[in-house]
Amino acid sequence: MQGQVVDVTPDRWASQGEAEATLNGRTVRIWSGIPGERALVRLIHRGQHLDIGALQEPWVADPHRVAPRCERYHLCGGCPLMHLDAAGQHQAKREMMRQALLAEGLGHLEVGEVVPSPTGDDDFRHVVKLGVGLSDHGQIRVGAWGCPCSP
């Protein structure tokens, strides 16, 4: 199976920014994929529960697809949404947040609009990892994990 090229249409975002599809009952995580965009994908790794693929060529490119601005995009992996324009990245981030809330039983919450950076979409990378859950009193809690070295 490794090295095989398959025709697949991802239907969701993975939490780290790759697209995901189900192929023959297995999850395939697709680097540079976009949910809803049918594409040829080369399978590059078969794990115990997850297969990894890399987009080879979309049949019809998503309107938000752009050429990544960084020559190391495919090697580095640090900016998984760089193959999308700003509007596509904002849609993807909102959908990933919606999926995360849904997974925690908080699907009734509305995800607001993405606030763009005032300095533009280039030359920065921000990652936020939030904990979401219920307090002892049943209230929704959202927050960042504290560093033990913080005052």
Side-chain angles (χ1 to χ4, degrees):
M1 180 142 170
Q2 190 170 332
Q4 179 182 4
V5 175
V6 295
D7 183 347
V8 65
T9 303
D11 60 359
R12 62 196 176 273
W13 288 107
S15 61
Q16 300 298 314
E18 301 95 342
E20 280 188 344
T22 303
L23 181 65
N24 300 325
R26 292 181 57 88
T27 297
V28 180
R29 192 163 286 166
I30 304 159
W31 177 257
S32 198
I34 301 172
E37 181 185 65
R38 182 177 168 209
L40 293 176
V41 172
R42 179 174 304 281
L43 299 175
I44 56 176
H45 176 76
R46 183 173 181 90
Q48 187 173 6
H49 304 287
L50 176 75
D51 295 334
I52 305 294
L55 183 119
Q56 296 296 288
E57 178 181 351
W59 288 102
V60 176
D62 184 278
H64 293 293
R65 181 173 287 284
V66 296
R69 296 175 308 277
C70 177
E71 63 189 39
R72 298 191 45 81
Y73 166 75
H74 292 290
L75 297 172
C76 169
C79 300
L81 299 177
M82 193 180 277
H83 63 292
L84 295 168
D85 63 15
Q89 288 185 28
H90 293 176
Q91 284 179 357
K93 291 172 185 178
R94 290 185 74 219
E95 180 59 20
M96 285 186 275
M97 177 59 84
R98 191 192 67 74
Q99 288 175 193
L101 290 171
L102 191 62
E104 294 297 324
L106 301 170
H108 61 282
L109 296 177
E110 184 178 330
V111 177
E113 294 296 319
V114 173
V115 177
S117 169
T119 61
D121 294 319
D122 294 334
D123 300 325
F124 72 93
R125 180 172 171 251
H126 299 286
V127 176
V128 177
K129 296 182 180 181
L130 298 174
V132 179
L134 296 175
S135 72
D136 295 338
H137 304 289
Q139 299 296 315
I140 297 169
R141 294 179 67 178
V142 179
W145 283 277
C147 174
C149 58
S150 298

